[in-house]
Amino acid sequence: MQENKIAIHIGLHKTGTSFLQEQVFSNIDSYQLIRGWHSLREIIKNNKDSSFLISDEGISGDFLHGNYQNTFHKNIVLIKKLFGDPKIIVGFRKQEDFILSLYKQYLQQGGFIDFEEFFSFNSEKLIKSDEILFENRIKNIEEMFSEVFIYTQESLIERQNEFLNTISRFLNLDNPIYISNRDRKRKINASIKTKLQVNTLKKLNKINHILSSIPFIPSLYSKFFKKIGFTPRNLCQNYFGGLGKSVYSLSPIVKLAINDYYKEDWDYVQSKISY
């Protein structure tokens, strides 16, 4: 029997991972898709003739706890020990949009601090500027693995056919991966976008933080509220999505500073795209 092949999609966060998992990787018959929440038992149960494609953006690190960059490198070393030399798929996103998207994800996970406290070039903020440098991540991956596929969120959107054709060859598929036009347009894992959504979510999360210090008061993110779909996150994503037309974005000064700081790093990422 032919030895099973292993491909691992390691993130990063907010680089089209949900789209890839639900619309691309799930359509590959010759690979068994294993997502982040699947256990080792799931892998053993599905260990048939198909190869494995493991997709888990959590491998790229936990951006809210610990050192984001160092956690990534530790996880890469662990992958090497466990799987040897699998095919590696990794995505990046321009820092201006990446940092903003991380901030929105932080709010959706219950955070409540302002963006200025979340990120700046001051090392004492929650997200440190040097942890969002990508060149070292790429070099680390290419040093440890012989087959690496690199994409960006931007190129995934703008050059989707090239992406699909190239990753199909990378995975040694007999035919290119096909996605219908309807599925290409379908929105997956919608985020908060407007100022109203962002500001309301911050306020509700702050209230929840205060309430959590009071005995016998349930969290607004408790199992009960999650079950009925009425957490602050659900409320802002699902009920406030059509309210307020003003999009939440970074100030022009912050955008300029971020793009200037990361220019060389982002140029390097673009030079490494696999298609």
Side-chain angles (χ1 to χ4, degrees):
M1 183 177 69
Q2 183 179 1
E3 183 180 358
N4 289 346
K5 299 186 293 295
I6 296 177
I8 304 180
H9 173 228
I10 61 176
L12 276 53
H13 299 86
K14 321 312 294 182
T15 58
T17 50
S18 295
F19 169 76
L20 292 176
Q21 290 164 349
E22 297 184 24
Q23 301 296 347
V24 178
F25 299 152
S26 61
N27 287 324
I28 304 175
D29 294 334
S30 57
Y31 277 84
Q32 176 68 41
L33 176 62
I34 304 295
R35 297 183 65 167
W37 59 78
H38 286 149
S39 66
L40 179 60
R41 184 180 303 173
E42 184 76 14
I43 297 177
I44 295 173
K45 183 178 70 175
N46 288 285
N47 187 15
K48 302 175 182 177
D49 292 334
S50 63
S51 301
F52 287 114
L53 200 169
I54 300 170
S55 179
D56 184 2
E57 62 268 34
I59 297 174
S60 67
D62 185 347
F63 66 92
L64 294 180
H65 304 93
N67 189 306
Y68 191 29
Q69 190 90 255
N70 285 348
T71 305
F72 173 84
H73 294 313
K74 289 179 181 178
N75 288 340
I76 292 302
V77 171
L78 183 59
I79 286 175
K80 184 71 175 179
K81 290 181 179 179
L82 290 173
F83 299 103
D85 190 24
K87 295 175 182 286
I88 298 294
I89 303 168
V90 59
F92 298 93
R93 187 172 183 175
K94 192 173 184 180
Q95 281 89 349
E96 171 193 330
D97 297 322
F98 183 65
I99 294 168
L100 177 59
S101 191
L102 289 183
Y103 177 60
K104 291 178 181 179
Q105 183 65 33
Y106 157 76
L107 295 178
Q108 291 173 165
Q109 292 181 208
F112 55 85
I113 64 176
D114 293 332
F115 179 81
E116 292 74 19
E117 299 175 74
F118 177 80
F119 172 85
S120 80
F121 299 103
N122 183 328
S123 62
E124 295 182 359
K125 302 304 179 181
L126 188 59
I127 296 295
K128 300 173 178 61
S129 55
D130 285 354
E131 293 183 341
I132 312 298
L133 291 168
F134 299 143
E135 181 174 346
N136 285 339
R137 292 177 185 249
I138 292 175
K139 289 182 176 178
N140 184 219
I141 295 170
E142 291 185 330
E143 287 174 359
M144 300 187 71
F145 304 100
S146 59
E147 296 183 85
V148 179
F149 184 94
I150 297 172
Y151 72 94
T152 65
Q153 166 81 353
E154 293 77 8
S155 64
L156 177 60
I157 295 173
E158 297 169 1
R159 299 157 53 198
Q160 197 166 107
N161 286 334
E162 289 181 62
F163 169 86
L164 293 173
N165 289 333
T166 310
I167 200 169
S168 296
R169 291 194 295 271
F170 178 76
L171 295 172
N172 299 321
L173 305 181
D174 294 332
N175 299 300
I177 302 166
Y178 171 77
I179 304 176
S180 68
N181 289 332
R182 184 184 65 180
D183 287 339
R184 289 176 191 242
K185 296 177 182 178
R186 185 160 66 91
K187 292 184 179 180
I188 299 174
N189 198 21
S191 178
I192 52 177
K193 293 182 178 180
T194 68
K195 289 182 180 179
L196 176 64
Q197 287 175 301
V198 169
N199 292 330
T200 302
L201 186 54
K202 277 196 296 185
K203 290 177 182 178
L204 291 175
N205 286 343
K206 180 65 174 179
I207 292 172
N208 182 61
H209 178 71
I210 295 172
L211 292 176
S212 65
S213 63
I214 303 175
F216 309 113
I217 299 295
S219 166
L220 298 179
Y221 288 93
S222 66
K223 290 183 179 180
F224 171 75
F225 285 114
K226 287 182 178 179
K227 185 176 181 179
I228 64 175
F230 209 69
T231 65
R233 176 176 180 169
N234 291 137
L235 181 66
C236 291
Q237 281 188 211
N238 302 328
Y239 296 97
F240 289 0
L243 301 177
K245 297 181 179 179
S246 182
V247 176
Y248 181 83
S249 62
L250 304 180
S251 71
I253 294 176
V254 172
K255 288 182 181 180
L256 183 63
I258 289 176
N259 288 330
D260 182 64
Y261 185 83
Y262 293 109
K263 183 182 184 308
E264 290 186 9
D265 188 72
W266 183 244
D267 287 344
Y268 179 82
V269 173
Q270 291 183 296
S271 72
K272 302 297 291 187
I273 295 175
S274 299
Y275 49 96

